[in-house]
């Protein structure tokens, strides 16, 4: 029973510290240094506890496997948490193929700030729609685009910081 508890602790500790690592890096990239530093404290403390249990018994392959498994599961869980939190902003560029005017009106009716630029494509002039929004609103934006123009060309960029501009789709009418 003690062996299973030890292996479980190692896996759980690694899942926790790797997930915290993912969130810490996200916070740092979003300019939240104090939050990142706080998460880093817990991350490294948990990491050292797990590592200590493995290093003391390098001749035990089960502990090494548990350590690696915890890392892998923590990577997956950290990614899931990051997607769920959807912290920050994103810039979406849409080049519609069809129903451009209708798409612009619909996006604005959904309270997305849309800036329209004119570009030149292979087959002639094209409108380029730039929309900056909170990451959590991205699925709603993409649903609108897919509904009106499923073959539109869409590029999604990470926006580290934003300043000024429209309310970024925060409010829905």
């Amino acid at each position: 029973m003690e062996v299973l508890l030890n292996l479980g602790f190692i896996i759980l500790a690694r899942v926790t510290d790797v997930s915290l690592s993912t969130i810490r890096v996200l916070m740092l990239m979003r300019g939240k240094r104090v939050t990142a530093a706080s998460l880093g404290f817990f991350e490294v403390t948990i990491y050292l506890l797990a590592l200590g249990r493995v290093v003391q018994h390098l001749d035990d392959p089960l502990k090494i496997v548990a350590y690696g498994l915890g890392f892998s599961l923590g990577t997956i869980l950290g990614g899931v948490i990051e997607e769920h939190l959807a912290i920050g902003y994103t810039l979406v560029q849409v080049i519609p193929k069809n129903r451009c005017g209708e798409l612009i009106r619909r996006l604005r009716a959904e309270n997305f700030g849309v800036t329209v630029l004119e570009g030149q494509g292979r087959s002639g002039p094209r409108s380029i729609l730039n929309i900056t929004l909170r990451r959590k609103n991205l699925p709603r934006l993409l649903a609108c685009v897919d509904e009106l123009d499923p073959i539109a060309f869409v590029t999604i960029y990470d926006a580290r910081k934003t300043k000024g501009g429209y309310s970024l789709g925060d409010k829905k009418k």
Side-chain angles (χ1 to χ4, degrees), residues 96-149:
K97 302 281 187 200
N98 304 304
R99 302 166 72 182
C100 181
E102 190 177 344
L103 179 60
I104 293 167
R105 284 188 294 281
R106 170 72 182 277
L107 292 175
R108 287 179 175 160
E110 291 287 327
N111 216 35
F112 291 108
V114 181
T115 300
V116 182
L117 307 171
E118 292 304 318
Q120 186 66 36
R122 182 175 66 186
S123 60
R126 292 269 184 216
S127 291
I128 302 168
L129 315 182
N130 285 330
I131 306 112
T132 302
L133 65 153
R134 290 189 181 276
R135 283 186 56 218
K136 68 181 179 182
N137 292 323
L138 183 59
R140 188 166 59 91
L141 175 100
L142 294 176
C144 290
V145 173
D146 285 343
E147 181 183 321
L148 290 173
D149 190 356

Side-chain angles (χ1 to χ4, degrees), residues 4 24 32 37 48 65 71 84 88 100 109 112 119 125 130 140 147-148 161 165-166:
L4 289 176
R24 176 184 54 81
K32 299 179 184 231
L48 288 173
V65 168
F71 181 87
H84 179 72
C100 181
F112 291 108
N130 285 330
R140 188 166 59 91
E147 181 183 321
L148 290 173
K161 280 190 173 186
Y166 189 66

Side-chain angles (χ1 to χ4, degrees), residues 31-119:
K32 299 179 184 231
R33 292 182 191 103
V34 173
T35 302
S38 300
L39 289 172
F41 171 81
F42 292 107
E43 171 197 342
V44 90
T45 302
I46 295 166
Y47 166 78
L48 288 173
L49 291 171
L51 183 63
R53 293 214 182 175
V54 175
V55 170
Q56 290 175 1
H57 305 281
L58 286 175
D59 57 338
D60 186 350
L62 285 178
K63 288 187 177 175
I64 295 170
V65 168
Y67 189 85
L69 179 62
F71 181 87
S72 296
L73 294 174
T75 300
I76 292 168
L77 181 60
V80 168
I81 292 170
E82 191 278 332
E83 284 179 19
H84 179 72
L85 291 175
I87 295 171
Y89 294 91
T90 190
L91 169 65
V92 179
Q93 189 175 74
V94 179
I95 303 174
K97 302 281 187 200
N98 304 304
R99 302 166 72 182
C100 181
E102 190 177 344
L103 179 60
I104 293 167
R105 284 188 294 281
R106 170 72 182 277
L107 292 175
R108 287 179 175 160
E110 291 287 327
N111 216 35
F112 291 108
V114 181
T115 300
V116 182
L117 307 171
E118 292 304 318

